Amino acid sequence: MKLRKTISTICYGVMLLITMSPVVRAAETPGTLVMETIDRGLVVLKDPSLKGREKSDERRQRLWKEISPIFNFEEMSKRALGQHWKKRSPEEKKEFVELFTNILKDAYIGKTDTYSGEKIVFVKEKQDEKDYASVQTKIITNTGAVVLVEYRMLSNAGKWKIYDVIIEGVSLVNNYRSQFSNILMKSPYEELVQKIKGKTGKEKT
Amino acid sequence: MRNGVTGMFFFGLTVLFSMHALQAESVPVSAPAESSYGELNEDNASNMDTGSGGAEGESDEAGQAGTEAEIPLVKDTFQPFNRAMFAFNDKAFHYFFKPIYTGYNSMIPVQARVSVKNFYTNIRMPIRFFNCLFQSNFKGAGTEMLRFVVNSTVGVAGFLDPAKSKFHLEKQERDFGQTLGKYNMQSGTYFVWPFLGPSNTRDTIGFVGDTVLDPLTWVSYFFLKPIESIGNYTYESVNKLSVDTGDTYESVTKPAIDPYIALQDAYLQNRVKKIKE
């Protein structure tokens, strides 16, 4: 009895060490980091206790908790605003990051509701410079269609985070930058903020 | 419909060409020659207007020639017309195609839908084959030829795709717009066509080229009544949409702040990637 307890304690301890250890985490390459995060997300999507429409809020929240840490939302916002970012005050920047994060959250977490067994396969990773990397993956749908998804990553003090997602050659950040700059050509920054707020408000109801 | 649409293309093309030639001179300089520019535009907008309805007058090319240094300038001379067309296509998608394909989805199993898509893909082999040749991608042309032989026989007239599943012969996505791009033709002005969606000068010419290479065009022309052709093309697009479970169109426009620009940008970025391939 005593022996069993000791063994289970040791096992528990080892498990804790493996999952918590920052040393293990730091040794990750961008590719393994992305794939592990995707796998954790898929666990949530496949969880039978979280299936169904009435559980969608809970499922989305859990999923967001798993995947949001590897995104660098400030960097994404900065790149999406482009040259207009410099002209903003610190408060405006903070507000914008929050708004942009919400758009992405609404848009892309919502899409996972229709998950139907798509497979995500690692293709390759590439480290361009010391702190830039890209991870290429393939999504294979149940109809056999293949969608190429590439994650562009930036390292900050050894921590890799995603700053852009490129789906079939279409950069998410560039797509929003085209939209934002188009709006900002014709109207002031405040109007853009209003438009984004209107958008996120609509999604929630 | 295809005849009417094709007619419109040729008409549009001639107009576009003259526009293109004229514009080429005035574009590099920031925004001169406003007057002649504007005139031409109005002419065009009203010409294009007939039959589709809703282009609201003058375009704002001055607004397009922005100061953004990071973003390559998108030539969107016909923006009011394009926006109207985008709105029309959007409505057509949401009120016509989507209800049909959702119903179709619930009745026909996935495997059958994929088979139908395979069938059409197999028939269209000449488009991909010849464009491989035009792009001097002889390996790709060989692959397409092999795929056609295998799928037409073992694959039961193209309904199955054993070339891919058994022999790992991947489909070569080559089209004429891409070919023109490879020969360094510029993309030209952005354009939204009814039902067909985003395009530009180069890809419109490419589309016409592909239509000529498409065996279905010949079948429609010689053997089918117009109504049957329309039925055929509509059925094909419904089936295609129904296989695309990712709902590409919606995933671009739904999260967008300005869906029109989002689709435009996605189209152009995707084309650049395809030409580079």
Side-chain angles (χ1 to χ4, degrees):
Chain A
M1 199 63 197
K2 210 178 163 192
L3 185 72
R4 246 175 88 181
K5 213 174 173 184
T6 331
I7 289 173
S8 68
T9 317
I10 291 170
C11 282
Y12 190 60
V14 171
M15 289 263 283
L16 256 179
L17 262 176
I18 291 170
T19 47
M20 306 288 276
S21 163
V23 184
V24 175
R25 288 259 158 131
E28 277 175 332
T29 68
T32 51
L33 177 66
V34 167
M35 288 320 284
E36 273 169 19
T37 312
I38 288 173
D39 286 342
R40 280 206 305 277
L42 286 177
V43 168
V44 175
L45 288 178
K46 285 174 182 160
D47 189 344
S49 68
L50 290 168
K51 282 243 155 71
R53 191 167 273 180
E54 61 290 353
K55 291 275 175 62
S56 72
D57 274 346
E58 195 189 335
R59 186 179 56 234
R60 286 181 191 190
Q61 249 169 40
R62 284 271 304 277
L63 193 62
W64 188 247
K65 224 178 91 190
E66 296 289 359
I67 63 171
S68 60
I70 64 160
F71 285 90
N72 187 342
F73 291 110
E74 197 188 320
E75 189 66 27
M76 289 175 109
S77 309
K78 197 168 145 185
R79 285 166 185 265
L81 263 191
Q83 56 168 354
H84 300 280
W85 176 261
K86 275 180 281 180
K87 297 178 212 154
R88 308 272 72 88
S89 71
E91 296 83 50
E92 281 177 325
K93 283 178 184 169
K94 211 180 146 212
E95 188 199 21
F96 187 81
V97 172
E98 210 169 288
L99 284 171
F100 193 53
T101 309
N102 277 336
I103 296 185
L104 298 176
K105 184 180 171 183
D106 282 352
Y108 294 96
I109 287 284
K111 267 198 73 67
T112 58
D113 285 353
T114 52
Y115 176 79
S116 52
E118 286 84 357
K119 284 191 205 73
I120 300 169
V121 189
F122 175 80
V123 180
K124 66 173 177 196
E125 62 180 313
K126 206 169 67 191
Q127 203 158 323
D128 299 343
E129 289 155 52
K130 211 177 98 228
D131 39 8
Y132 281 92
S134 75
V135 178
Q136 288 175 23
T137 65
K138 274 197 295 204
I139 299 179
I140 302 170
T141 68
N142 52 3
T143 56
V146 176
V147 183
L148 294 175
V149 181
E150 184 183 336
Y151 300 91
R152 291 273 164 85
M153 302 179 88
L154 183 64
S155 156
N156 190 359
K159 270 190 91 173
W160 288 99
K161 281 192 174 183
I162 296 167
Y163 71 85
D164 197 2
V165 182
I166 293 141
I167 305 168
E168 284 293 328
V170 180
S171 147
L172 178 77
V173 167
N174 284 355
N175 195 272
Y176 276 104
R177 187 163 60 202
S178 300
Q179 296 175 51
F180 293 160
S181 72
N182 232 275
I183 293 169
L184 288 170
M185 261 178 220
K186 295 165 202 153
S187 37
Y189 174 75
E190 288 70 33
E191 203 161 302
L192 175 68
V193 171
Q194 281 313 313
K195 278 193 171 149
I196 298 175
K197 276 183 182 161
K199 175 84 189 171
T200 42
K202 239 193 334 207
E203 293 286 320
K204 266 169 200 155
T205 49
Chain B
M1 183 183 81
R2 180 60 75 106
N3 280 343
V5 170
T6 322
M8 205 177 144
F9 278 140
F10 282 116
F11 173 70
L13 272 179
T14 42
V15 177
L16 274 173
F17 263 135
S18 53
M19 272 301 294
H20 198 68
L22 277 163
Q23 248 174 284
E25 288 162 33
S26 58
V27 154
V29 201
S30 50
E34 283 276 328
S35 54
S36 66
Y37 216 59
E39 246 175 63
L40 245 161
N41 253 326
E42 247 181 66
D43 258 324
N44 251 307
S46 53
N47 279 340
M48 291 302 189
D49 210 9
T50 45
S52 49
E56 53 263 17
E58 260 160 278
S59 76
D60 54 342
E61 71 276 24
Q64 277 302 310
T67 45
E68 265 291 287
E70 317 162 41
I71 298 181
L73 219 87
V74 176
K75 244 196 246 166
D76 193 359
T77 331
F78 308 104
Q79 207 185 93
F81 170 79
N82 285 344
R83 277 195 187 267
M85 222 60 271
F86 170 81
F88 171 77
N89 285 341
D90 194 65
K91 290 271 183 298
F93 174 78
H94 282 288
Y95 295 109
F96 182 72
F97 286 105
K98 205 181 169 188
I100 291 183
Y101 85 70
T102 2
Y104 177 72
N105 273 9
S106 59
M107 287 186 292
I108 316 285
V110 175
Q111 269 321 311
R113 284 183 268 136
V114 173
S115 297
V116 170
K117 192 191 158 206
N118 286 342
F119 174 75
Y120 280 105
T121 308
N122 191 52
I123 284 188
R124 294 237 155 88
M125 180 282 258
I127 299 182
R128 299 187 299 274
F129 176 74
F130 283 109
N131 279 305
C132 278
L133 287 185
F134 297 154
Q135 297 172 27
S136 35
N137 175 2
F138 300 111
K139 202 180 157 204
T143 308
E144 273 302 328
M145 193 45 106
L146 272 176
R147 273 180 57 83
F148 185 72
V149 170
V150 171
N151 283 348
S152 304
T153 51
V154 189
V156 202
F159 282 104
L160 302 175
D161 192 354
K164 188 183 170 188
S165 55
K166 297 273 186 314
F167 300 100
H168 303 289
L169 297 168
E170 292 288 334
K171 190 171 89 181
Q172 309 289 311
E173 292 281 5
R174 306 278 167 157
D175 58 62
F176 203 69
Q178 204 183 10
T179 302
L180 293 172
K182 294 253 184 212
Y183 288 103
N184 291 329
M185 179 178 171
Q186 294 302 306
S187 58
T189 311
Y190 180 73
F191 227 97
V192 181
W193 293 106
F195 298 111
L196 299 168
S199 191
N200 51 39
T201 317
R202 180 189 60 213
D203 292 337
T204 302
I205 300 170
F207 178 82
V208 174
D210 285 339
T211 309
V212 173
L213 291 173
D214 185 354
L216 276 179
T217 313
W218 300 99
V219 172
S220 300
Y221 191 78
F222 290 113
F223 301 106
L224 296 181
K225 292 185 191 125
I227 187 79
E228 290 167 339
S229 303
I230 296 175
N232 178 34
Y233 284 115
T234 313
Y235 174 66
E236 194 202 349
S237 42
V238 166
N239 186 74
K240 212 166 150 193
L241 281 168
S242 85
V243 174
D244 173 27
T245 46
D247 271 5
T248 315
Y249 174 73
E250 279 192 302
S251 64
V252 172
T253 51
K254 245 185 164 179
I257 305 295
D258 183 346
Y260 169 77
I261 297 290
L263 190 66
Q264 179 190 63
D265 178 79
Y267 177 76
L268 296 175
Q269 282 198 53
N270 182 257
R271 288 304 292 177
V272 169
K273 179 207 160 211
K274 286 212 171 122
I275 289 165
K276 264 194 209 147
E277 259 171 14

